[in-house]
Amino acid sequence: MTSKMGRRVLVVGVGMHPFGNDGVAATDMGYVAGVAALDDAGIDFPEVGALYNGYIGGGITAGVHLAKDLGLTGLPVTHVENASATGSSAFGEAVHAVAGGRVDVAMALGFDDMNRMGGLGRSGKRGLGAEDVMLPAAFFAMWATRRMHEVGTTVETFAAIAAKNWNHARENPMAQRRADHEMTVEEILASTMISYPHTSKMACAAGGGGAAAVVASEDVARRLGGPMIEVVASQQRSETYTDGHVFLGAVIGPAQMTRDTAADAYEQAGLGPRDLDLVQVHDAFPIEELVYYELLGICGDGEGDKLVASGETSLGGRIPFSTDGGLTARGHPGGPTGLAQIHETVLQLRGGAGPRQVEGARTGLCHMAGAGSVCVVHILQRN
Amino acid sequence: MLATDPHLFRLPGDGEDRPHLLGSYSAEAGLHFWPRRRRCPVTRTPVEDVELGPVGTLYAWTFLHVPRMGKVSFGDTGGYAVGQVDLPEGVRVQAPLVGSQHDWSIGDEMALTLFPVGTDDDGQELVTFRFEVVR
């Protein structure tokens, strides 16, 4: 199912509005992020050939209205929604628009405020069904208790992953949760229990934000003259049937989906997990990051716990994960999150990530899951 | 008594003590599914309606420290459990569980039971399903 890239595609600009709960309108955050990405690329909006807006909570025409603020240039504007993977899918559409020759420059723009989002699930039904009581926290927690049963993972391991991501966010001015002190495993464990074994400081933060990326053909990127950050893989999949498949209410999805999407991406990029210098994943709860170590091939099945214990996925370790704080601490508004991952990876590959810089970073992977049924993987490389 | 969603399960009939889940069977794939499918998701061939359960094995669980489940209140410090139960037909079902935090473990035998969740506009009692440990 591996899709081909066509023309080479490079990320020429990225921008963000800080994630948080400051009451700024989602479209205002999107505007700030979009203008920042254009400025970063050094181009004016009329040069953008196509715009892909990613948002979940806005009104039906929010994306088109935002385009009016950027300029009435007549470009095609498309609304993309794929749950948590919305921003990742919008980025993928922009990449493929350039790769396929539709345009020479495309922009993906994500914005959202999770606090103003409408109800999820089967609203309008007569009564209270099982589906209506299954909070997302429950699915991830069940994944965690099963993992504890099968592999012997401890709550301390989950807390260690969360503490790592909180501490990564301390060096990220765009992050929603910036602790004024070094977070410890004990502090994570002592926070309010939400859904056993996950505590409130292990859960991704609810808030708003904006993030954007501008991608371009090789000719345009060379003319602009900035660092050449190439999108060497852009892959997206949905579920295939696996034993124990859950049709009603699954928000984590079958493990095989992430394995397959990652395999497609590695094949397309012509590299493997050992070639990666840093990774961003959908870490809404620490069980996810732990399992994705294995599903992305960073280590063998059941070996993720050892990776945490040895510090290999922390900044300064062999393969840092969630260098900007991840969903846990950078925050997770649905629309911009995937684009925030691209923003972080591009900064890292340019060598511009400041105190959280991964030394010599050349190749980074971004992974997002959406509603348990969507998986998007991008691999970026500095040339 | 009314089922909250009669497409997902049916109430116990005469002489039965437990509700049943309403699923599909694909003869081509030899697979059962729940909830009912329009066609087999693996082979895209027709499926037939079947009834599943009502007894299975606990695959995973969690306890949510949330004092309300829809309209049902558990008090200020309460909460409720949800679990995944594997039925003998090879179907994994997610549903609320009966009991408190220390009542179950992975591998327990679980059976489907009813759970009142309120009344409809005509005052009829609405029930959904959940699983309880078979003692």
Side-chain angles (χ1 to χ4, degrees):
Chain A
M1 203 177 281
T2 315
S3 61
K4 302 292 182 228
M5 190 66 88
R7 295 197 295 174
R8 295 179 71 193
V9 181
L10 298 107
V11 186
V12 293
V14 289
M16 273 186 81
H17 183 286
F19 284 15
N21 278 309
D22 298 329
V24 181
T27 47
D28 289 347
M29 292 188 278
Y31 178 78
V32 167
V35 169
L38 291 168
D39 289 348
D40 186 46
I43 64 171
D44 197 5
F45 188 60
E47 198 171 344
V48 177
L51 173 63
Y52 298 90
N53 285 302
Y55 65 97
I56 303 172
I60 291 170
T61 57
V64 180
H65 274 85
L66 185 47
K68 293 182 204 294
D69 287 332
L70 293 169
L72 296 176
T73 65
L75 87 171
V77 179
T78 305
H79 170 209
V80 177
E81 194 264 291
N82 250 339
S84 291
T86 289
S88 308
S89 292
F91 181 73
E93 292 304 312
V95 167
H96 287 284
V98 172
R102 182 182 188 184
V103 294
D104 290 327
V105 179
M107 183 163 158
L109 179 53
F111 54 98
D112 250 319
D113 184 347
M114 300 292 266
N115 297 310
R116 297 181 186 178
M117 209 161 280
L120 303 173
R122 307 183 309 156
S123 57
K125 287 275 180 178
R126 177 171 62 175
L128 178 69
E131 177 79 345
D132 303 310
V133 305
M134 284 280 183
L135 304 177
F139 297 108
F140 295 114
M142 285 192 284
W143 204 9
T145 58
R146 185 70 198 181
R147 168 84 181 195
M148 294 164 82
H149 175 78
E150 287 182 349
V151 181
T153 298
T154 63
V155 291
E156 285 77 13
T157 295
F158 294 133
I161 293 170
K164 165 185 80 70
N165 292 345
W166 275 82
N167 290 324
H168 285 180
R170 292 185 65 205
E171 304 291 354
N172 180 8
M174 295 293 167
Q176 179 167 341
R177 286 166 153 174
R178 299 190 69 198
D180 61 3
H181 61 281
E182 180 88 1
M183 294 291 279
T184 63
V185 166
E186 291 71 27
E187 189 172 353
I188 300 289
L189 288 174
S191 60
T192 308
M193 182 64 73
I194 290 182
S195 186
Y196 178 82
H198 290 142
T199 64
S200 60
K201 284 190 166 60
M202 297 183 197
C204 67
V214 179
V215 293
S217 65
E218 188 174 359
D219 287 349
V220 172
R222 291 203 186 284
R223 171 169 60 78
L224 293 171
M228 297 293 277
I229 310 295
E230 184 172 357
V231 183
V232 291
S234 175
Q235 295 291 331
Q236 180 173 327
R237 271 184 178 257
S238 60
E239 299 161 85
T240 52
Y241 182 83
T242 52
D243 286 345
H245 204 94
V246 175
F247 285 90
L248 183 62
V251 299
I252 54 176
Q256 195 61 37
M257 183 174 66
T258 292
R259 245 189 239 286
D260 290 343
T261 315
D264 290 346
Y266 291 137
E267 183 186 341
Q268 184 178 19
L271 50 76
R274 288 189 172 279
D275 300 308
L276 302 176
D277 299 305
L278 73 155
V279 180
Q280 317 297 327
V281 293
H282 183 279
D283 60 326
F285 289 88
I287 177 63
E288 284 198 275
E289 182 171 318
L290 178 66
V291 176
Y292 295 142
Y293 295 154
E294 299 165 12
L295 298 182
L296 295 175
I298 305 300
C299 64
D301 288 354
E303 295 176 357
D305 304 63
K306 282 187 284 186
L307 221 52
V308 181
S310 64
E312 291 194 38
T313 57
S314 299
L315 282 171
R318 178 173 67 85
I319 175 77
F321 268 61
S322 304
T323 52
D324 63 353
L327 276 61
T328 307
R330 181 245 296 124
H332 178 37
T337 298
L339 285 157
Q341 291 184 335
I342 299 294
H343 179 274
E344 171 68 8
T345 303
V346 167
L347 291 192
Q348 290 280 355
L349 301 187
R350 288 176 181 170
R356 63 183 192 283
Q357 179 66 44
V358 175
E359 197 176 339
R362 181 166 177 265
T363 307
L365 182 146
C366 299
H367 157 277
M368 280 296 281
S373 297
V374 175
C375 184
V376 183
V377 173
H378 284 99
I379 300 177
L380 276 55
Q381 193 163 61
R382 185 190 71 230
N383 289 320
Chain B
M1 191 185 293
L2 292 172
T4 52
D5 193 337
H7 300 288
L8 296 180
F9 69 105
R10 70 160 176 81
L11 303 177
D14 288 344
E16 292 179 327
D17 59 354
R18 296 197 180 278
H20 282 262
L21 297 169
L22 304 176
S24 301
Y25 176 68
S26 165
E28 178 96 3
L31 293 171
H32 289 82
F33 307 103
W34 180 83
R36 284 183 173 162
R37 302 286 92 197
R38 297 178 197 275
R39 60 177 179 171
C40 175
V42 179
T43 61
R44 278 89 53 206
T45 49
V47 291
E48 58 185 284
D49 290 348
V50 292
E51 294 193 355
L52 301 169
V55 179
T57 305
L58 189 62
Y59 177 81
W61 64 275
T62 185
F63 190 88
L64 281 154
H65 294 259
V66 178
R68 296 187 70 83
M69 183 174 87
K71 296 172 185 167
V72 183
S73 174
F74 302 98
D76 291 342
T77 57
Y80 62 98
V82 295
Q84 294 181 332
V85 175
D86 285 345
L87 300 181
E89 295 90 349
V91 171
R92 185 165 297 155
V93 178
Q94 298 183 142
L97 306 178
V98 178
S100 61
Q101 290 186 67
H102 307 292
D103 281 356
W104 48 78
S105 19
I106 288 172
D108 280 349
E109 190 180 19
M110 309 294 289
L112 207 62
T113 186
L114 291 175
F115 179 38
V117 292
T119 54
D120 72 359
D121 293 342
D122 299 327
Q124 289 228 64
E125 184 178 38
L126 283 169
V127 291
T128 188
F129 62 90
R130 59 180 180 173
F131 285 95
E132 61 183 359
V133 179
V134 178
R135 300 287 182 198

